[in-house]
Amino acid sequence: MQKITISGSNIISSLGFTSEENFQNVLSGQSGLKFQSKDAPQPLSKIDAEIFQEQIMGLGLSKKLTRFEKLCILSINDAVSQSSIDIKSEDCLIILATTKGNIGLLETNNERSKAIHLWESAGKIAAYFHASNKPLVISNACVSSVLAQVVAMRMLKSKQYKNIVVCGADLISDFIISGFQSFKALSPLPCKPFDLNRNGLSLGEGAGTLIFTNENSKALFGGAAVLAGASSNDANHISGPSRTGDGLANAILSTLNQSKIHPGFISAHGTATPYNDEMEAKAIALSGLQEVPVNSLKSFFGHTLGAAGIIETIITLFAMDKSIAIGTLGHEEYGVSEKINLISKTVDLQFNSFLKIASGFGGCNAAIFYSK
Amino acid sequence: MHIINYCSIRKGKIANAERVLFSSDEYQLSSFLKSYYKINKISYPKFYKMDAQCKLAFIASEVLFTDFDREKYKDEEIAMVFANSESTLSTDMDYWESAQTIASPALFVYTLPNIMMGEIAIRNKIKGENLFFIAEDFDSNLLLQQTELLFQNNPTKIVIVGWVNYESEERYLARLFLITKTGDGMLFNKENIEKLNKD
């Protein structure tokens, strides 16, 4: 069967404007989480405004586009430039994954507008690239950009397109910050995934793009292919994860059932909220993967919501290609009840496949599997 | 793919194909749904905590599941693919209004469109696949294609397909389809979707 490989990628975040730059900064142990002012109640991982502006000027992007749309265009543009695909072709589809897109627009004007709708943003992004097909938009809480990869894989397997561009993006806004604050979910210090003293998540913003192809073309990341993926629901609580981890385990087991390969590594969601990390460790154990090396990248990028799944997938694709396990920055003392093989310090490690997992509000879970 | 059941809610009317199940001169969605809830003696206190869009999805799913032999399927065998145009804009605005004084976590959680699938999952113990799309208009091609892809993933035997869109107390629409991979009954295809959408 034709493999589905990657022909272009990009990450825009606090740690840089290309995938390579982001990976190098992660490798050197840098965190993008910064206190934005002296009395800021929590650190945030924000995109450098000056460089962002320069890049927008570089592409000559219209002032009519919102910051969210510009971010997606910059990210897709960089990924496409590495690849030989024709984004204008009828064989190519764009999938946008986001939780809240242009929600920041409500802060200046709290009323209904066309511009705030996600299909409107996706339409503008697709029009910029002269795409032939109407783009798809997936908005499924914090699993959005893992799910978008699953959907892209299925559509390519069924030969509906030759190339699919998946872009996951979300921005930090007062809307988002106030919401997580109201849940008392934000850590006053950079988040500490799977740590005994973890006390909440840190927020981030960013975009990640992957170009999936089922054509025989130049494949990045040593020819890594996406093999399998699935989603599931906990059916437990709309704002809290399952206590047993069975929902996420269902998504993992369904994915492994398709891949027929045991993963060599797991990139966890690892938000560093007490409940998420506890549930995730249980799900990993329930799936029989206690021995598999696991990390969380949230302490590098913060939780970038709809972008998190794809940004973390790209970093793990680099890590697999270079035989490195990225450590869980900020992790000091193991603090979840179930024992899993958490990688705290970055080490050389050869692995030939990995699982990326994610969970979100509404009880949703998703998993995607890559192999060399 | 076959349609086991169908439900629509719009303009103060709950219908199952051509059959009107419930109607009221009261177009205002909240009071309309509340009267359906009471008359049908539904007992589910979580209903009152939901935002209007989730209430709309929830009542439509209650109607859809009437006479459905839920016990025949495992929790993991039932999947959902939903879509709408508004995401959660109405609740987003309510939440942001609240945030000017004290931000309400009870509202914030409803600023994610997939929460409606979470509510239906909790009520009916559904643990299969979940997908939420945003599209400008009801898009039968998208829903058909994604349902078909869900059936290709082994455990899925039933898919709840939904379009649930709430703009205001006067402008709202729910269309839910209960779809089986194999069996008999009306085929789940573009023609039949359009036929049902005419009610």
Side-chain angles (χ1 to χ4, degrees), chain A residues 131-241:
Chain A
S132 300
N133 297 296
K134 194 163 70 176
L136 294 191
V137 181
I138 293 180
S139 186
N140 214 112
C142 299
V143 311
S144 295
S145 65
V146 176
L147 260 188
Q149 295 176 62
V150 175
V151 169
M153 174 195 75
R154 287 180 185 154
M155 294 179 85
L156 287 171
K157 274 189 180 172
S158 70
K159 305 266 155 78
Q160 296 179 29
Y161 296 95
K162 285 182 181 160
N163 297 292
I164 297 184
V165 178
V166 175
C167 176
D170 264 304
L171 290 172
I172 287 177
S173 60
D174 289 341
F175 183 101
I176 300 284
I177 296 172
S178 65
F180 280 95
Q181 268 168 348
S182 76
F183 264 100
K184 305 197 184 339
L186 296 183
S187 169
L189 293 169
C191 67
K192 297 165 82 72
F194 297 99
D195 195 276
L196 187 64
N197 297 313
R198 71 186 184 281
N199 56 358
L201 58 83
S202 299
L203 283 171
E205 62 184 6
T209 300
L210 279 171
I211 301 175
F212 295 91
T213 177
N214 60 16
E215 286 182 311
N216 286 314
S217 61
K218 184 191 73 176
L220 301 181
F221 307 115
V226 56
L227 290 193
S231 65
S232 68
N233 199 290
D234 290 347
N236 176 61
H237 193 279
I238 51 168
S239 61

Side-chain angles (χ1 to χ4, degrees), chain A residues 99-100 103 106-108 110-114 116-119 134-142 147 150-151 154-155 158 160-161 174-180 182-183 229-239 246-247 250 254 257-258 360-364, chain B residues 46 76 80 84-97 99-100 103-106 108-115 117-119 121-122 124-137 139 142 145-146 149-150 152-155 166-168:
Chain A
T99 61
K100 294 308 299 173
I103 197 66
L106 287 187
E107 291 162 16
T108 41
N110 192 16
E111 59 184 42
R112 190 173 297 275
S113 65
K114 193 177 178 195
I116 204 165
H117 289 83
L118 296 178
W119 45 262
K134 194 163 70 176
L136 294 191
V137 181
I138 293 180
S139 186
N140 214 112
C142 299
L147 260 188
V150 175
V151 169
R154 287 180 185 154
M155 294 179 85
S158 70
Q160 296 179 29
Y161 296 95
D174 289 341
F175 183 101
I176 300 284
I177 296 172
S178 65
F180 280 95
S182 76
F183 264 100
S231 65
S232 68
N233 199 290
D234 290 347
N236 176 61
H237 193 279
I238 51 168
S239 61
D246 67 323
N250 281 340
S254 175
N257 198 28
Q258 298 159 44
F361 276 0
C364 57
Chain B
K46 283 194 183 95
E76 297 78 20
M80 287 187 254
N84 78 2
S85 156
E86 290 291 291
S87 181
T88 54
L89 186 50
S90 179
T91 298
D92 293 348
M93 293 190 294
D94 290 347
Y95 165 74
W96 187 239
E97 183 69 38
Q100 306 314 306
S104 158
F108 185 64
V109 68
Y110 287 103
T111 64
L112 295 164
N114 61 298
I115 296 296
M117 296 190 295
E119 295 283 16
I122 293 167
N124 299 289
K125 264 185 85 207
I126 293 171
K127 296 188 175 177
E129 298 248 8
N130 272 207
L131 285 171
F132 203 102
F133 291 90
I134 308 286
E136 184 171 4
D137 300 300
D139 185 342
L142 170 71
Q145 166 201 72
Q146 295 300 327
L149 291 173
L150 282 172
Q152 285 168 15
N153 184 25
N154 263 329
Y166 175 88
E167 281 182 54
S168 68

Side-chain angles (χ1 to χ4, degrees), chain A residues 9 11-12 15 19 57 68 105 155 255 271 277 284 307 313 348:
Chain A
S9 86
I11 299 173
I12 295 177
L15 293 179
S19 295
M57 303 286 275
F68 173 72
L105 296 180
M155 294 179 85
T255 300
T271 59
D277 293 7
I284 289 168
T313 297
D348 289 338

